[in-house]
């Protein structure tokens, strides 16, 4: 019995190496942080990734599609749902995760720039909404649902309003005003937010 002939990749077929794709993705974030979306170029991304422009264009047709793909990937990863067993603990954990993410050196540069671009381009606005809003709304909905089940919150608590109350001040300080968090800020914000939710 003869062994089957190994299948060959058809001539001319593009083989997209994962290590190259990851290098390009890393370069996009670095380029966004360095020059912003408006000045970012495929050439600059390719140079930073150490690849040719064609390697980028094989994967994405434009810088907009590239950024949307990356933002969408973050949305797909989801936000971990705190499970501390109490409303106080869950709110504190959510704020800690959000503050850590927003203080990341690259995120702190990229997110404000993308929010500006979102005002001009609906596609970016939709993708940003998926990352900054939809994922956290789902997390807050579960926090509220479990707090209601434990008797910690009224049954008519609105998860969307709860999210505004809990993380709104954090986004204001870190994304809009862009000032460092004072020592103990997350703890004080968590206590104030929980008190507001219970009021």
């Amino acid at each position: 019995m003869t062994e089957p002939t190994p299948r060959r990749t058809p001539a001319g077929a593009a083989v997209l190496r994962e290590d190259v794709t990851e290098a390009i993705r890393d370069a996009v974030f670095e380029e966004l942080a360095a020059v912003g979306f408006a000045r970012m170029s495929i050439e600059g991304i390719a140079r930073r990734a150490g690849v040719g422009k064609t390697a980028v264009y094989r994967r994405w047709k434009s810088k907009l599609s590239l950024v949307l793909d990356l933002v969408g990937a973050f949305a797909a990863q989801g936000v971990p749902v705190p499970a501390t067993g109490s409303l106080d603990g869950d709110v504190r954990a959510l704020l800690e995760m959000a503050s850590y993410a927003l203080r990341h050196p690259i995120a702190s540069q990229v997110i404000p720039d993308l929010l500006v671009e979102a005002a001009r381009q609906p596609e970016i606005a939709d993708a940003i909404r998926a990352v900054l809003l939809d994922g956290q709304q789902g997390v807050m909905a579960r926090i509220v649902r479990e707090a209601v089940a434990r008797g910690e919150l009224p049954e008519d608590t609105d998860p969307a309003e709860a999210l505004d109350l809990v993380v709104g001040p954090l986004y204001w300080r870190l994304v809009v005003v862009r000032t460092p968090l004072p020592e103990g800020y997350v703890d004080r914000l968590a206590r104030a937010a929980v008190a507001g939710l219970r009021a």
Side-chain angles (χ1 to χ4, degrees), residues 96-172:
E96 189 63 43
M97 286 187 290
S99 67
Y100 176 80
L102 292 173
R103 284 183 291 178
H104 186 281
I106 292 179
S108 65
Q109 294 294 323
V110 170
I111 291 174
D113 187 60
L114 289 181
L115 288 175
V116 171
E117 292 300 324
R120 303 186 186 109
Q121 303 195 48
E123 299 97 331
I124 291 182
D126 292 342
I128 290 295
R129 191 174 298 111
V131 172
L132 299 183
L133 183 60
D134 294 351
Q136 289 189 348
Q137 277 188 337
V139 171
M140 182 54 74
R142 183 164 168 183
I143 290 174
V144 167
R145 185 168 60 248
E146 293 179 356
V148 168
R150 290 190 298 261
E152 295 178 288
L153 287 177
E155 290 187 7
D156 62 351
T157 301
D158 183 336
E161 291 181 3
L163 183 64
D164 292 344
L165 180 64
V166 172
V167 300
L170 193 65
Y171 276 92
W172 172 260

Side-chain angles (χ1 to χ4, degrees), residues 179-190:
T179 57
L181 298 184
E183 186 175 350
Y185 176 83
V186 171
D187 289 323
R188 291 192 298 274
L189 178 56

Side-chain angles (χ1 to χ4, degrees), residues 22-92:
E22 285 305 310
I24 294 170
R25 286 182 173 137
D26 291 343
V28 171
F29 285 113
E30 293 170 7
E31 193 76 357
L32 275 171
V35 303
F37 180 83
R39 293 175 54 206
M40 186 177 77
S41 67
I42 296 296
E43 292 81 358
I45 293 167
R47 184 168 51 252
R48 196 177 287 269
V51 300
K53 287 190 298 182
T54 54
V56 180
Y57 282 118
R58 279 195 203 104
R59 293 160 173 82
W60 298 278
K61 62 182 180 181
S62 67
K63 70 175 185 178
L64 177 58
S65 63
L66 204 171
V67 170
L68 293 180
D69 176 60
L70 293 184
V71 171
F74 272 119
Q77 290 175 8
V79 179
V81 179
T84 67
S86 73
L87 176 62
D88 297 79
D90 287 351
V91 167
R92 174 69 174 74

